[in-house]
Amino acid sequence: MSASRDDIIRHLNDYLHIDDFKDYGPQGLQVEGRETIKKIVTSVSASIQLFEEAAGRDADMVIVHHGILWDKESRVISGGFKRRIETLLYNEITLLAYHLPLY
């Protein structure tokens, strides 16, 4: 069974009422991956270990509470941040993050 990435995003954004929350970073889509979703992995925080495990399990989407994009963080892509983005992009994994809507 599979679903559309964009349908899942729309549903979660509506269900969690993300527009009702002023948060510290973007809610919902943070990194775009493949369009068809067959397997979703969830976790609290977006770590490199999570992304590597998700890739090893052939996940198409990861949904977390603590994403990788925050308003006060540097916009320089280096170090661990670079590794996390590389892992997602290389494996075409979509990252969704919902912080305050899941509080």
Side-chain angles (χ1 to χ4, degrees):
M1 180 173 235
S2 65
S4 159
R5 173 197 65 221
D6 296 338
D7 287 346
I8 293 170
I9 294 168
R10 271 192 296 279
H11 173 73
L12 288 173
N13 290 354
D14 290 344
Y15 180 76
L16 294 171
H17 304 282
I18 66 168
D19 293 331
D20 294 347
F21 296 90
K22 173 104 173 89
D23 211 334
Y24 308 105
Q27 301 303 294
L29 181 65
Q30 290 197 347
V31 177
E32 183 180 84
R34 63 181 62 90
E35 293 180 14
T36 302
I37 306 300
K38 294 180 184 174
K39 188 180 288 188
I40 300 172
V41 170
T42 62
S43 187
V44 174
S45 297
S47 68
I48 186 61
Q49 294 84 4
L50 169 63
F51 297 159
E52 288 171 347
E53 183 72 21
R57 293 175 181 261
D58 296 321
D60 306 299
M61 177 179 280
V62 173
I63 302 172
V64 296
H65 177 59
H66 298 127
I68 62 173
L69 302 174
W70 299 95
D71 290 344
K72 297 190 188 246
E73 294 289 321
S74 171
R75 297 297 182 229
V76 175
I77 300 173
S78 63
F81 182 54
K82 178 183 173 199
R83 275 189 60 213
R84 288 185 285 174
I85 290 175
E86 283 177 329
T87 303
L88 292 170
L89 294 177
Y90 179 79
N91 293 286
E92 296 186 82
I93 298 173
T94 294
L95 174 63
L96 303 182
Y98 297 99
H99 186 237
L100 291 182
L102 291 178
Y103 182 64

